Amino acid sequence: MNMPVAPTLNQILNEEAGDDALALAFGEADVPEKESAEDSTPAGFCVECKDQEAQVYCEQCQEDFCEVCSGMIHRTGRRKQHAQRNIQKEPAVSEKMDTDEQNEDEAAVTADADDHAEEALDSGAFSVTFSAQSGKVETEGFSEWIKERAKYIPLRLTLKERKYLRLLEAALNVSEYTDKVDILMYGDKTKRIVGQIKELCAILSGLVLASDYKAGQRLFEDREFGENEEFYRRVFEIGRRHKIMNPERMRNEYGKLMFMLQDAQTNEVKKVLGMDLVAPVKTVHSVLEALDIGYLLEDEMVVVATREIVEGGKTRAQVQLEIKQKERAVEYLCKAYATDQCPAEVIRQCLYSIGDNHAYLRFTRDACERMRGYLSAWFEPKKAESDDLSLAIFTGRSGARLTHSHESQYHYVMQTLTLWREMLHDMFMLWHHADGDLLDSRNPYRLKDTGQGLNRVQQCSRVSRTVHNILYRTQKAVGRWVGSSMVHLGDRNVPNALMFIDKYNQVASILNPVVRVIEFLERLESQPERNAEAREMVERSYGGTVEARKRILADFFRSAFDGSGADNFFDAGSCIDGRLTSAWNWCSNIEKKPYFNVFLLSGFVGFNGGPEGYN
């Protein structure tokens, strides 16, 4: 298949050059022409934006432009060679104004500048710097990175799929599958499993019929149970796909779903059911490859069409510019690569799914980045600033099960945060492998009492191999390694891959509230007039916002990484799993901390993960 001839990236994003480029690329003759500006442009103003005074006269174009529009129009091609001269103007006479008049004038100038910025969006009068999410991945090499990552990025649900998702959640909510199956009793377990699966499918079928009678009639009228295999496979795949991209959702229902599918994969159950209920999770890569347009991800416009737009101190005009660039990039890619086999809506869905990936990384992985930044910015690795801010811990003191000097604890915390960062960066890949381990018919489980009730203990070969690769990469990056490198998988601590995924999905729920508290204190310092009472309380209790930040971070870096949380060194300590156990233990004691009132002032209500954790 011949790839379409694509115009340059700047041509697409600039309004004037973009229309010509699209017409050239797609052979369109009906691209609307620009309206003539001669009749509508006020005298002495730019003929392009029409709201700024002319500053430059082009000899070849024989028109007046403002400096911004002139730079945009004459940036490339033959127009770059045009001769230009500045338009001389008499300096304006300004009268002395009092303070109130001066403030009003400054506000008016700011408003005019914002209005001009919005007009400039349409004329493409801003230069463009392209980078991936938060500048971490530059345009160069982005295609290789995203092609590999797209293999694990789940496809965003369509509106119709979301309707099926709600029905699946309702069916799982009333199901008692694990209560009936995961029990120690004699009898035919296969028969019990098949009965529960059929009951769940019957509930789901009834809900589908009740929500859409005609659709349900077409699916179930005069058809045997096994004849709806594709329907059940599709609905269960929708639930799995939704959970991967939204780990804070389906907290109770997802476990039932995965354990039900795990049992359905055994040869005995599959033989009795007469169907296979497991379908591969749809990813961006699998969809594009199935439609034979995998080369779409090689287009340099993908980085613009999928980047996440975050305010981050930008002006309103800059944010609007990025939004417009993103919209134009999406429309270009949809138009360039759409075929009869692959409609534009599918391409748009894939691009939005990649954007969802960036949002996921910002919420999870970037929390680790922020905490690593706080550690390096506020604490010295060699020596503590004071005894109160020392990171040193001692076994038996304040529940600690480890003994580290300030320097050792500094490196221990830094390498742990680095490891968590790498885990969360590759979480989609880990989830993909966990799915493979859980639903592998050749990988049976044992129902065993692990000290936390009956759990399904199952080997996790795929996840284990990936985790050890991540661990090796982290150890190589940090150099010095403090503590144990033991990874618990398939034992009494982490019985199966589902438990592993659930544990590391909590990292962001632990770190984000701490990050928000530090940001709250930073706002108190930079904007004291907005919350004077809170600032006064912090200064009275801690001696200032800077001191409060240091004390909160020092206690977190000590108590959340001290090996606590269990009664033996096998369950806690410095092993890979034990580091997270210590952080959980710190969360459970947050109400007893002297700085808990600062957490409450920042809007904190719990470590629930997602928006419900904050007011």
Side-chain angles (χ1 to χ4, degrees):
M1 177 181 295
N2 295 327
M3 293 178 58
V5 178
T8 63
L9 198 143
N10 278 336
Q11 284 179 314
I12 297 302
L13 295 181
N14 290 330
E15 187 77 30
E16 179 174 339
D19 290 338
D20 296 337
L22 288 176
L24 177 63
F26 304 110
E28 294 180 355
D30 55 347
V31 177
E33 297 180 356
K34 299 288 181 180
E35 294 181 1
S36 177
E38 285 80 4
D39 298 333
S40 58
T41 304
F45 280 76
C46 172
V47 298
E48 184 66 24
C49 62
K50 303 179 183 64
D51 66 347
Q52 295 295 306
E53 292 186 359
Q55 298 168 294
V56 178
Y57 177 77
C58 178
E59 300 287 355
Q60 282 73 23
C61 298
Q62 298 183 357
E63 291 177 329
D64 297 336
F65 299 95
C66 66
E67 185 177 0
V68 175
C69 293
S70 176
M72 181 274 298
I73 292 174
H74 298 88
R75 186 172 61 250
T76 59
R78 292 183 179 180
R79 290 187 177 185
K80 189 176 183 180
Q81 308 301 325
H82 287 191
Q84 302 176 27
R85 59 180 173 83
N86 292 331
I87 300 175
Q88 298 295 329
K89 292 183 178 294
E90 293 294 328
V93 179
S94 58
E95 299 179 356
K96 186 177 180 180
M97 299 181 294
D98 58 23
T99 305
D100 293 338
E101 291 175 343
Q102 187 174 359
N103 290 339
E104 291 176 2
D105 183 66
E106 290 176 354
V109 170
T110 302
D112 289 343
D114 288 341
D115 292 340
H116 169 57
E118 289 184 349
E119 292 291 335
L121 293 173
D122 293 331
S123 63
F126 286 87
S127 60
V128 184
T129 301
F130 301 103
S131 62
Q133 176 64 16
S134 302
K136 292 180 173 59
V137 183
E138 298 300 330
T139 304
E140 184 178 356
F142 177 81
S143 62
E144 295 300 323
W145 176 79
I146 200 62
K147 278 196 298 184
E148 180 63 27
R149 190 167 184 84
K151 297 178 181 178
Y152 309 107
I153 298 176
L155 193 67
R156 179 189 281 196
L157 269 59
T158 63
L159 179 61
K160 186 176 181 180
E161 288 175 333
R162 292 182 187 278
K163 294 179 180 178
Y164 284 130
L165 173 67
R166 289 195 292 270
L167 298 180
L168 175 63
E169 288 180 311
L172 290 171
N173 186 46
V174 299
S175 173
E176 298 178 343
Y177 183 85
T178 50
D179 296 334
K180 299 289 183 65
V181 172
D182 288 348
I183 54 177
L184 295 176
M185 63 175 294
Y186 295 101
D188 191 350
K189 186 175 182 178
T190 300
K191 184 177 180 180
R192 198 163 65 246
I193 291 172
V194 171
Q196 289 299 311
I197 292 176
K198 287 188 174 181
E199 180 180 314
L200 176 62
C201 292
I203 295 173
L204 182 60
S205 303
L207 291 174
V208 172
L209 190 64
S211 63
D212 190 338
Y213 181 77
K214 291 184 177 180
Q217 197 174 34
R218 288 194 302 269
L219 279 171
F220 307 113
E221 188 177 24
D222 298 328
R223 302 185 70 175
E224 295 295 330
F225 176 69
E227 293 178 334
N228 289 311
E229 177 181 1
E230 285 302 318
F231 168 76
Y232 293 125
R233 282 164 58 93
R234 179 188 176 191
V235 173
F236 294 147
E237 184 273 334
I238 289 172
R240 290 155 58 207
R241 177 157 38 107
H242 176 72
K243 176 65 176 179
I244 295 174
M245 188 62 81
N246 303 273
E248 73 280 1
R249 304 293 180 85
M250 298 179 67
R251 294 188 175 181
N252 297 321
E253 295 86 356
Y254 184 72
K256 296 179 187 178
L257 174 63
M258 292 306 297
F259 288 158
M260 184 269 290
L261 294 177
Q262 187 180 37
D263 291 332
Q265 284 298 96
T266 60
N267 295 327
E268 297 83 1
V269 174
K270 195 182 296 185
K271 184 177 180 180
V272 176
L273 285 176
M275 59 180 179
D276 184 0
L277 297 177
V278 176
V281 173
K282 287 184 181 180
T283 63
V284 172
H285 178 270
S286 65
V287 170
L288 293 178
E289 287 296 322
L291 297 173
D292 199 25
I293 57 167
Y295 54 81
L296 163 68
L297 298 177
E298 299 175 5
D299 196 305
E300 61 181 357
M301 293 297 296
V302 173
V303 66
V304 186
T306 61
R307 65 181 175 186
E308 187 182 18
I309 300 173
V310 183
E311 186 270 333
K314 301 174 185 175
T315 64
R316 180 161 56 94
Q318 288 174 319
V319 173
Q320 291 297 325
L321 172 64
E322 291 184 4
I323 292 173
K324 188 172 183 65
Q325 288 175 343
K326 182 173 181 177
E327 291 173 350
R328 286 187 61 81
V330 170
E331 293 305 319
Y332 161 72
L333 291 171
C334 291
K335 199 169 188 179
Y337 293 93
T339 62
D340 294 337
Q341 185 182 5
C342 177
E345 191 57 38
V346 175
I347 296 176
R348 185 176 287 104
Q349 186 183 10
C350 291
L351 294 174
Y352 289 160
S353 299
I354 297 175
D356 293 341
N357 163 77
H358 296 333
Y360 174 85
L361 291 179
R362 182 171 63 87
F363 178 76
T364 57
R365 181 198 63 186
D366 287 7
C368 298
E369 293 279 10
R370 297 291 298 276
M371 294 303 295
R372 291 173 68 223
Y374 293 145
L375 178 61
S376 60
W378 294 99
F379 299 90
E380 291 291 335
K382 296 292 184 180
K383 185 178 179 181
E385 180 180 337
S386 64
D387 291 340
D388 290 338
L389 300 179
S390 174
L391 303 183
I393 57 175
F394 302 93
T395 301
R397 182 181 298 179
S398 301
R401 296 186 59 83
L402 301 173
T403 299
H404 285 159
S405 64
H406 172 85
E407 182 179 0
S408 295
Q409 183 69 1
Y410 179 94
H411 290 289
Y412 179 75
V413 174
M414 181 63 77
Q415 70 189 23
T416 302
L417 292 172
T418 304
L419 177 64
W420 290 353
R421 187 260 181 209
E422 295 299 316
M423 290 280 196
L424 294 174
H425 180 77
D426 292 329
M427 182 54 71
F428 286 165
M429 179 173 63
L430 287 168
W431 210 312
H432 176 83
H433 293 320
D435 209 62
D437 282 330
L438 283 167
L439 304 180
D440 188 352
S441 59
R442 298 166 297 179
N443 186 22
Y445 68 86
R446 293 174 292 114
L447 200 61
K448 184 178 179 181
D449 186 358
T450 62
Q452 302 180 30
L454 291 176
N455 283 281
R456 300 188 177 199
V457 180
Q458 184 187 39
Q459 294 301 310
C460 317
S461 58
R462 298 174 179 84
V463 173
S464 178
R465 183 164 54 250
T466 305
V467 170
H468 281 90
N469 287 336
I470 294 174
L471 177 60
Y472 170 75
R473 189 169 69 235
T474 304
Q475 290 175 330
K476 188 176 180 180
V478 300
R480 177 184 177 184
W481 189 260
V482 181
S484 171
S485 300
M486 175 68 181
V487 179
H488 290 286
L489 277 171
D491 57 17
R492 66 189 302 269
N493 289 282
V494 186
N496 50 61
L498 179 61
M499 293 292 184
F500 172 84
I501 291 295
D502 184 64
K503 287 172 75 73
Y504 280 92
N505 273 329
Q506 308 307 315
V507 171
S509 301
I510 295 171
L511 298 184
N512 275 317
V514 182
V515 171
R516 291 191 182 106
V517 169
I518 302 303
E519 290 176 342
F520 168 73
L521 292 173
E522 290 173 347
R523 288 195 301 273
L524 287 184
E525 184 177 7
S526 61
Q527 303 172 357
E529 69 284 350
R530 296 190 62 180
N531 203 336
E533 294 83 0
R535 179 182 173 86
E536 182 181 353
M537 188 276 292
V538 171
E539 290 181 346
R540 186 172 60 251
S541 301
Y542 303 97
T545 57
V546 173
E547 189 67 21
R549 270 182 285 179
K550 290 182 179 180
R551 289 191 184 184
I552 293 173
L553 290 172
D555 183 74
F556 177 76
F557 293 144
R558 283 193 303 260
S559 303
F561 301 88
D562 60 359
S564 60
D567 58 358
N568 61 77
F569 282 101
F570 187 74
D571 293 341
S574 63
C575 63
I576 303 304
D577 179 67
R579 299 169 192 241
L580 190 51
T581 304
S582 303
W584 280 349
N585 188 60
W586 176 85
C587 294
S588 67
N589 295 315
I590 187 64
E591 294 88 353
K592 302 176 183 177
K593 300 294 182 180
Y595 48 78
F596 181 58
N597 55 354
V598 182
F599 271 73
L600 295 177
L601 283 174
S602 68
F604 171 80
V605 294
F607 294 96
N608 291 327
E612 64 272 18
Y614 265 74
N615 286 329

